[in-house]
């Protein structure tokens, strides 16, 4: 168990430093494929670019499916301003306040890469009187390219065009006190926990209770992640995705957060009781919580009409979709609960 937790903790910064925005996850998919080959885990890729790892169980008549998503938030070029500024629109739930000041890379369709910073259109405090009071939106903040550009034509000559992807720097930092702060912990922390579990079963040769699928989706942030390739004999679907922290929430950064209900409705009551029971029995620190503004790939999967019980648990992530942070305690608890769940009848 210790090694599985170490594996998850070690792979997380590497995942965070690998680019992958919904709709453009080739690099993160290739990274995961390489890691799976390293630990000799068989896998297949979906047409959409997701990764599925299947493990045989003691009972192979039924499939248990665990899902996490490797796609993250980002931006896409909408237009170029007359002064050479590049305007972006959000991919997924990006708020202007959470990216103002961020360093970015714009990637063109011909794979050219340009650096820049998201700043206000008139960003100098010594010039703009209303800078501190203006509500931000994607019309008054834009990308200032680190190139000698004066107008839209200059930008076009660089090869930057409408539809190009814009990556926000993740700014990964691992602290001595056991935190990882970075963008995109949603849901790369969940992916790391699943990789910890995969590593555990490959390394120890322990056999899951049922055939188990690990489904790493690449379109959760845009609502259509784990909705294809679902095995019809799947009886339980568990999303391992971030716990939502904040005012009025019970979740924290040191426990695994078990979700009773999110915006899509309550999760399966019996499965929730089973998972809480596993946490209790194995002394895994946990919190049960309700997420007020949240959807997951577990609910997305159910909308396909599949007849399965569904649940959601994962590491508690502070300041979600913004300057996120998680503690190792929470990732450890998530990895352990994932493994205990896969072993449970
Ligand atoms: Zn998520």
């Amino acid at each position: 168990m210790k090694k599985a937790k170490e594996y998850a903790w070690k792979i997380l910064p590497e995942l965070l430093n690998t680019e992958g925005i919904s709709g453009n996850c080739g690099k993160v998919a290739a990274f995961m494929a390489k890691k799976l080959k390293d630990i000799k885990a068989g896998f297949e890729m979906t047409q959409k670019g997701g990764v599925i790892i299947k493990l045989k169980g003691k009972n192979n008549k039924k499939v248990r499916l665990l899902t996490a998503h490797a796609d993250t938030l980002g931006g896409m070029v909408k237009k170029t301003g007359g002064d050479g500024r590049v305007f972006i629109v959000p991919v997924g739930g990006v708020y202007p306040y959470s990216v103002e000041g961020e360093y970015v890379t714009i990637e063109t369709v011909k794979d050219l890469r340009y650096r820049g910073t998201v700043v206000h259109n008139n960003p100098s405090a010594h010039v703009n009187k209303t800078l501190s009071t203006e509500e931000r939106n994607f019309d008054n903040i834009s990308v200032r390219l680190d190139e000698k550009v004066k107008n839209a034509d200059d930008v076009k000559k660089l090869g930057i065009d409408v539809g190009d992807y814009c990556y926000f720097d993740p700014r990964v930092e691992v602290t001595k006190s056991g935190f990882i702060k970075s963008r995109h912990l949603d849901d790369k922390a969940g992916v790391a926990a699943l990789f910890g579990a995969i590593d555990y079963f490959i390394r120890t040769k322990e056999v899951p209770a049922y055939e188990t699928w690990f489904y790493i989706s690449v379109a959760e942030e845009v609502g259509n992640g784990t909705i294809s390739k679902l095995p019809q004999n799947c009886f339980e679907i568990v999303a391992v995705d971030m716990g939502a922290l904040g005012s009025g929430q019970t979740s924290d950064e040191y426990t695994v957060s078990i979700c009773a209900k999110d915006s899509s409705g309550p999760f399966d009551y019996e499965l929730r009781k089973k998972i809480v029971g596993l946490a209790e029995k194995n002394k895994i620190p946990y919190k049960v919580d309700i997420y007020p503004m949240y959807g997951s790939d577990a609910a997305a999967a159910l909308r396909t009409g599949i007849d399965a019980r569904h649940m959601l648990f994962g590491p508690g992530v502070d300041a979600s979709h913004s300057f996120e942070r998680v503690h190792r305690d929470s990732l450890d608890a998530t990895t352990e609960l994932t493994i205990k769940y896969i072993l449970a009848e």
Side-chain angles (χ1 to χ4, degrees), residues 69 186-187 220-221 241:
H69 67 93
D186 170 18
D187 178 35
E220 192 274 348
E221 294 291 0
D241 205 340

Side-chain angles (χ1 to χ4, degrees), residues 183-202:
R183 289 186 187 277
H184 314 322
L185 286 164
D186 170 18
D187 178 35
K188 284 174 169 171
V191 174
L194 290 196
F195 266 73
I198 294 163
D199 172 68
Y200 176 88
F201 285 99
I202 301 280

